[in-house]
Amino acid sequence: MVSYEEIKIISGTAGDPLAKKVCEELGVTLAEYDLGRFSDNEIKVQLLESVRNKDVFIINPTNPPAENLLEMIFLAEAVSGSSAGRITLVPTYLGYNRQDRKDRPRVPITSRVIAKMLSIPAVDRVLLFDLHSEPTMGFFDNHIKVDQLYGSSLSIPYIKENILSKDLVIASPDKGGGPRAEAYSKRLGLEDYVLFAKSRPKPNEIAADSIRIIGDVKGKDILFVDDMMDTGGTISADAKKAKEADAKDIYVFATHGLLSKDAVKRLDESPIKEIIITDTVSQPEGKLETKNIKITTLSVAPLLADAIKKIHRGESISSLIL
Ligand code: R5P
């Protein structure tokens, strides 16, 4: 017996542009709420419409600033205290998901901490998007049902239409991404894939002269596939190495374009031809302007809207996973 009525979409500040597109796809309006600050700058939230018995989806990435995470948690708490029928959290990019093990002494497993913070008693499920670390799915409390969507549902059709050629080879920027590169290669009907192995003296640091190409890139177009691009350091160094090894055109697909610090400038100065990202993380106006490389943004809104419809109707979402 279903105990909730129609879909209600709520977004945090950072999730707002994407949530609006999802609402357009669904033909619903974004729920209204008042978001302000107390005098000491603490966040203040009040829903301005009833969510009683509604099937509520809260959309926001949870990467820094910490307000993104807090807005999601406070909105969930407000919705829960307002007799919602069911609550699903949609952290389009799950921040703090990279630290998923104790790889050095005295470090927190932040992906577990975040999963626990989002395991609010009144929340029924989470809809995740291309996690950096799959084990995180198991860090949510038992009462939370976990679904995951993948950027490949968007990138595979785009690649087939715009990039695929007999000279294309899929590449992973690191050994850990080998299974992803292999899966892309199979889905695109390509024979093999290439790995760019490297040593990292510290997290987020690459020893540029340590990059080894496992596989053949000479005379090939290269498409790097990854879950995220942060500073763009990894992919710029790999692209340079690929060019030195006589690769032809270089393309990159990464689901989450964090593009922190001077990433866009660094990428614009790299030998990459085109970068394809999605809108799981929203970008400030003008941030993606470049002189040399093309940056294409694919919107996850239609996919998210389809998943929301299916979850609402109690249907499987596996047909949405490519
Ligand atoms: C590494 O494991 C990831 O998949 C990305 O390659 C990495 O996080 C990208 O970071 P950056 O763009 O800062 O090199």
Side-chain angles (χ1 to χ4, degrees):
M1 176 68 186
V2 177
S3 61
Y4 45 84
E5 300 161 4
E6 74 264 30
I7 294 169
K8 192 51 94 180
I9 306 290
I10 302 184
S11 81
T13 311
D16 203 52
L18 175 57
K20 281 188 176 130
K21 288 190 210 161
V22 171
C23 284
E24 270 171 39
E25 295 283 336
L26 291 169
V28 302
T29 50
L30 202 52
E32 280 190 50
Y33 67 89
D34 194 24
L35 177 69
R37 297 276 180 162
F38 290 102
S39 49
D40 65 352
N41 224 24
E42 286 180 358
I43 296 170
K44 184 164 71 166
V45 168
Q46 184 188 8
L47 299 175
L48 297 179
E49 58 185 89
S50 167
V51 292
R52 185 173 292 268
N53 291 346
K54 302 285 191 286
D55 195 8
V56 177
F57 293 80
I58 304 175
I59 298 176
N60 216 31
T62 63
N63 56 316
E67 272 75 359
N68 289 342
L69 177 65
L70 291 176
E71 282 180 16
M72 176 165 266
I73 291 171
F74 294 158
L75 284 167
E77 180 62 24
V79 168
S80 145
S82 308
S83 304
R86 181 171 69 169
I87 307 171
T88 301
L89 302 183
V90 190
T92 49
Y93 169 68
L94 189 71
Y96 294 96
N97 176 224
R98 274 182 273 189
Q99 181 84 45
D100 65 346
R101 73 196 82 153
K102 210 166 165 185
D103 58 349
R104 284 157 294 140
R106 302 178 293 282
V107 294
I109 301 173
T110 58
S111 65
R112 184 171 62 187
V113 176
I114 293 301
K116 294 285 173 212
M117 286 172 86
L118 295 179
S119 296
I120 298 161
V123 169
D124 192 72
R125 52 173 64 237
V126 289
L127 175 57
L128 303 165
F129 216 105
D130 233 326
L131 284 178
H132 181 73
S133 159
E134 292 285 327
T136 303
M137 292 182 84
F139 290 156
F140 288 88
D141 282 0
N142 284 343
H143 75 278
I144 305 270
K145 297 162 197 79
V146 183
D147 282 315
Q148 186 175 187
L149 296 169
Y150 297 89
S152 52
S153 299
L154 302 168
S155 58
I156 295 278
Y158 182 87
I159 295 161
K160 281 186 178 164
E161 206 175 316
N162 300 285
I163 300 174
L164 188 60
S165 75
K166 63 175 177 29
D167 291 333
L168 185 68
V169 68
I170 303 297
S172 169
D174 49 50
K175 280 195 271 183
R180 179 187 288 110
E182 186 177 18
Y184 264 83
S185 213
K186 272 196 192 141
R187 283 174 217 161
L188 293 165
L190 299 169
E191 274 175 17
D192 214 351
Y193 62 97
V194 171
L195 296 179
F196 281 62
K198 59 187 72 74
S199 65
R200 289 177 192 268
K202 286 185 198 154
N204 301 329
E205 202 178 279
I206 298 155
D209 54 2
S210 76
I211 301 175
R212 272 186 312 119
I213 305 177
I214 304 173
D216 189 18
V217 298
K218 189 172 177 175
K220 301 273 189 189
D221 291 332
I222 313 290
L223 171 63
F224 287 97
V225 288
D226 210 345
D227 61 320
M228 68 164 73
M229 235 184 308
D230 187 353
T231 62
T234 309
I235 222 70
S236 305
D238 284 348
K240 192 163 166 262
K241 189 78 183 176
K243 274 287 179 194
E244 285 166 10
D246 290 330
K248 288 201 299 180
D249 290 340
I250 298 174
Y251 302 87
V252 180
F253 172 73
T255 305
H256 308 294
L258 298 180
L259 303 176
S260 59
K261 296 186 177 162
D262 57 353
V264 175
K265 183 171 176 284
R266 175 181 287 126
L267 293 164
D268 202 23
E269 288 165 359
S270 79
I272 296 168
K273 182 172 182 184
E274 181 179 0
I275 289 176
I276 305 120
I277 55 173
T278 75
D279 54 359
T280 54
V281 176
S282 65
Q283 309 291 347
E285 182 96 25
K287 181 171 167 182
L288 300 185
E289 273 167 27
T290 48
K291 289 196 189 99
N292 308 309
I293 63 164
K294 180 180 172 195
I295 300 186
T296 303
T297 305
L298 307 177
S299 181
V300 300
L303 178 64
L304 219 44
D306 282 347
I308 287 171
K309 269 189 264 181
K310 283 182 181 292
I311 290 169
H312 179 64
R313 296 185 199 129
E315 295 170 6
S316 163
I317 63 158
S318 60
S319 62
L320 303 177
I321 296 168
L322 256 193

